[in-house]
């Protein structure tokens, strides 16, 4: 059992703009807290199965996917559930139970945060 603390990514309320977890990598060095937040995202996405599941949810029609539609990633159903749980703990996915199925979605603020974090300054693009 891990003793790592799970710190959620900031998710704005409806109608608010996304709050960045960290400045762009090229803006300034990260503080310890900012590095923890960014590392949590990257660690969760650092597993190929998790990255495939995250991509399947993010690209699914309507912006959400039933676990029944994204489970074909080459591992058993309990392993899929484990990986989805890790993505939720990292603040990358949210879920909602509807009857016997669970539906997952990527919050738009998460994608915006990740995009800002990795954005290169305009002068660096050639």
């Amino acid at each position: 059992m891990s003793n790592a603390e799970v710190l959620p990514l900031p998710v704005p309320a409806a109608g608010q703009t996304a709050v960045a977890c960290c400045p762009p990598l090229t803006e300034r060095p990260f503080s310890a807290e900012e590095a923890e937040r960014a590392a949590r995202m990257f660690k969760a996405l650092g597993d190929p199965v998790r990255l495939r599941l995250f991509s399947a949810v993010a690209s699914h029609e309507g912006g959400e996917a039933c676990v029944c539609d994204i489970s074909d990633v080459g591992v058993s159903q309990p392993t899929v559930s484990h990986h989805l749980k890790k993505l939720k703990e990292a603040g990358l996915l949210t879920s909602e139970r509807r009857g016997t199925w669970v539906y997952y979605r990527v919050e738009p603020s998460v994608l915006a945060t990740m995009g800002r974090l990795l954005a290169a300054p305009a002068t660096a693009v050639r």
Side-chain angles (χ1 to χ4, degrees):
M1 172 159 233
S2 172
N3 63 354
E5 181 182 0
V6 176
L7 301 171
L9 293 173
V11 178
Q16 292 181 336
T17 58
V19 178
C21 81
C22 318
L25 289 170
T26 56
E27 183 177 299
R28 62 171 172 75
F30 282 174
S31 69
E33 184 179 319
E34 290 166 340
E36 286 290 328
R37 288 182 190 151
R40 195 171 44 259
M41 282 191 301
F42 289 122
K43 183 176 181 181
L45 293 173
D47 181 281
V49 172
R50 287 186 205 143
L51 188 55
R52 288 183 67 200
L53 289 167
F54 185 78
S55 174
V57 173
S59 64
H60 203 270
E61 186 177 333
E64 69 176 10
C66 174
V67 69
C68 60
D69 294 329
I70 59 171
S71 294
D72 188 21
V73 291
V75 296
S76 68
Q77 178 55 47
T79 303
V80 168
S81 294
H82 166 78
H83 287 301
L84 289 168
K85 178 183 174 186
K86 292 296 184 183
L87 290 167
K88 280 183 61 176
E89 287 174 350
L92 298 173
L93 294 180
T94 60
S95 66
E96 178 183 348
R97 179 171 291 281
R98 297 181 196 157
T100 59
W101 296 109
V102 178
Y103 288 78
Y104 291 88
R105 78 187 65 69
V106 176
E107 292 295 333
S109 63
V110 169
L111 294 176
T113 296
M114 291 170 64
R116 275 193 309 276
L117 176 66
L118 297 173
T123 57
V125 179
R126 295 181 192 252

